[in-house]
Amino acid sequence: MKKLLAIIPLFFTSLVFADTGVVVKEDVCGSGNSIIETTDSWYIAAEHYSGVYLYEGDVVYGKMKTYGVQILTRKDGKEGQFYIEDYESDIGDAYEELCD
């Protein structure tokens, strides 16, 4: 029981520092890539590597404004690895990052 109580704060601490967003475009240029709009209005170009696919309307958490491979977690707790290509203030620019 003590181990469980020690793990719970670690989980919540990681969510506190995570970005939150909603998937606004799914399967961009094929391959399961997504564009995610964060709560602070950035558009994330996320290239799918492995794990769960993201669909329009999914709420996701993770380090989205950090380049490179990141684990993104859907609201239902399922995770996937995504390569964060870029984060842009314009959705068109995020789209170009995934399709060039």
Side-chain angles (χ1 to χ4, degrees):
M1 181 67 173
K2 288 182 182 182
K3 287 183 180 181
L4 178 62
L5 292 176
I7 292 173
I8 290 173
L10 293 175
F11 176 74
F12 288 116
T13 302
S14 65
L15 287 181
V16 168
F17 295 111
D19 296 308
T20 302
V22 176
V23 177
V24 292
K25 294 286 183 187
E26 66 181 67
D27 202 29
V28 177
C29 297
S31 305
N33 301 332
S34 300
I35 296 177
I36 303 161
E37 184 178 9
T38 64
T39 55
D40 55 354
S41 301
W42 287 100
Y43 292 97
I44 310 303
E47 182 180 333
H48 182 261
Y49 266 34
S50 66
V52 70
Y53 286 93
L54 302 178
Y55 301 100
E56 287 184 29
D58 283 349
V59 175
V60 293
Y61 308 96
K63 292 177 89 177
M64 291 182 248
K65 292 181 287 190
T66 303
Y67 301 111
V69 177
Q70 302 295 330
I71 295 175
L72 301 183
T73 306
R74 287 193 320 206
K75 191 174 183 178
D76 65 5
K78 295 183 179 178
E79 299 178 334
Q81 282 191 325
F82 291 81
Y83 186 87
I84 306 303
E85 291 278 340
D86 206 353
Y87 51 100
E88 303 281 352
S89 60
D90 181 78
I91 193 169
D93 293 337
Y95 193 90
E96 285 181 29
E97 285 293 328
L98 292 172
C99 298
D100 62 357

